[in-house]
Amino acid sequence: MFNLVIFGPPGAGKGTQSEKIIEKYQLAHISTGDMFRMHIQNDTELGTRVKQILADGLLVPDSITIDMLEEEVTRNKDVRGFIFDGFPRTVNQAEALDAFLEGKGCKVDLVLQLDVDQQVIKERIAERKKISGRADDDESKLVKRIDEYFEKTIHVLPYYQEQGKVVKINGVGDIQAIFGMISEAIDAAI
Ligand code: AMP
């Protein structure tokens, strides 16, 4: 199994690059954001619980997120590995993921940090809003999401740096060129 975490602020290009990684390396994609949106769209009980939290641009409580993620990993049997997109977003989630994978005899092998400055993030999300229709792409909600990132999520980086797993990739520029750098990092770790 090869397990990869793709890490970066909202609008860093995690979703875009994840699609390319999946195609090339045949990993199962786990995006907790997509999963929450699916629950909301399907009006599930979980969807009802998290709807307002997503609309406000806040993080869903760890217990809910971790349970949902573990269920999804367990459901995907016989895969070559996973790409975790948008998870972990707190140190608590990162620790839970390590313990969970250890129980399955595997680990997080690589953390790709997409490095993008805040001005670029804002411009990209304004563009994405035109097609995504995501309420949380509104400027007021985006500010909250960026705050959450710098208050809670950024601490996940040193957690993985201490384990020597982080490769930093410049996330600004041509999508294909960025993917080239990502491929090099994966090939070196796989
Ligand atoms: P994303 O599509 O990854 O930007 O996620 C959209 C929203 O889903 C976030 O703003 C959070 O409200 C929620 N969410 C996604 N992943 C997580 C996570 N790992 N922990 C807590 N909340 C999450």
Side-chain angles (χ1 to χ4, degrees), residues 26-162:
Q26 270 111 49
L27 301 175
H29 185 209
I30 298 203
S31 159
T32 41
D34 283 353
M35 291 174 72
F36 285 132
R37 281 185 289 277
M38 195 62 83
H39 276 283
I40 293 169
Q41 207 178 318
N42 294 340
D43 258 332
T44 67
E45 197 200 325
L46 175 61
T48 313
R49 281 160 78 194
V50 303
K51 191 172 183 177
Q52 196 57 46
I53 302 175
L54 264 82
D56 290 339
L58 301 172
L59 291 189
V60 173
D62 283 340
S63 57
I64 297 179
T65 309
I66 292 166
D67 283 355
M68 181 181 76
L69 177 113
E70 292 186 355
E71 247 177 60
E72 185 65 12
V73 170
T74 307
R75 215 189 346 252
N76 279 271
K77 301 207 188 318
D78 302 324
V79 295
R80 297 178 70 183
F82 292 95
I83 171 159
F84 297 104
D85 166 6
F87 184 97
R89 264 176 154 102
T90 63
V91 172
N92 195 13
Q93 291 179 13
E95 287 170 348
L97 180 63
D98 273 355
F100 179 66
L101 291 179
E102 200 182 319
K104 295 191 166 297
C106 57
K107 61 179 172 30
V108 170
D109 295 283
L110 177 66
V111 178
L112 289 173
Q113 176 198 357
L114 286 178
D115 189 34
V116 176
D117 79 41
Q118 284 205 38
Q119 190 48 39
V120 175
I121 294 170
K122 287 186 181 158
E123 287 163 12
R124 281 189 187 171
I125 294 202
E127 276 305 304
R128 180 168 84 184
K129 170 89 179 110
K130 291 181 197 163
I131 45 170
S132 75
R134 277 177 57 169
D136 64 347
D137 279 349
D138 274 349
E139 177 132 27
S140 60
K141 302 294 155 52
L142 176 61
V143 170
K144 200 66 227 156
R145 286 163 65 208
I146 293 175
D147 282 354
E148 290 281 77
Y149 177 80
F150 284 106
E151 269 170 38
K152 297 172 187 160
T153 305
I154 198 80
H155 308 297
V156 171
L157 261 189
Y159 175 83
Y160 284 126
Q161 276 162 343
E162 276 166 29

Side-chain angles (χ1 to χ4, degrees), residues 2 4 15-29 80-81 83 112 175-188 190:
F2 180 77
L4 172 74
T16 305
Q17 293 297 337
S18 289
E19 280 175 24
K20 294 184 158 298
I21 298 168
I22 295 151
E23 203 185 341
K24 182 165 176 185
Y25 295 96
Q26 270 111 49
L27 301 175
H29 185 209
R80 297 178 70 183
I83 171 159
L112 289 173
I175 290 177
Q176 206 50 41
I178 297 169
F179 183 60
M181 294 186 280
I182 287 180
S183 293
E184 273 179 34
I186 296 176
D187 292 341
I190 215 160

